[in-house]
Amino acid sequence: MRGFIINPCNMYFTMDRKINRFVKTLLKIFEVPKDKINEIINTINSFDMKLYAKEVMDTLYEYIS
């Protein structure tokens, strides 16, 4: 898992693709059925990751200041 996460994102391997691939791989390891994997991926994709990332960074900046 560490090796997967430390690869930096770029224009071809975006954060969304990285998250999707990571979750799929993790769920396959635990032999989750394919339909459940797709359901989970769709739920994750419905989140606004950029908004969450901005909120985390804003909170961090407030804490540091």
Side-chain angles (χ1 to χ4, degrees):
M1 281 199 258
R2 180 185 173 276
F4 187 85
I5 292 300
I6 64 170
N7 286 330
C9 296
N10 57 39
M11 62 188 272
Y12 303 109
F13 192 47
T14 62
M15 181 61 73
D16 293 334
R17 291 183 73 190
K18 181 185 245 187
I19 292 169
N20 285 344
R21 192 171 301 166
F22 179 76
V23 170
K24 278 184 186 178
T25 303
L26 186 63
L27 294 174
K28 284 181 181 181
I29 289 171
F30 291 104
E31 299 178 355
V32 175
K34 209 170 212 177
D35 59 329
K36 280 291 186 187
I37 291 174
N38 291 333
E39 183 181 329
I40 292 167
I41 294 295
N42 289 335
T43 301
I44 290 171
N45 288 337
S46 71
F47 299 148
D48 188 355
M49 296 294 181
K50 290 180 183 178
L51 176 65
Y52 294 144
K54 183 178 179 341
E55 288 175 0
V56 167
M57 294 308 293
D58 289 345
T59 303
L60 178 63
Y61 291 141
E62 286 178 24
Y63 181 75
I64 292 173
S65 298

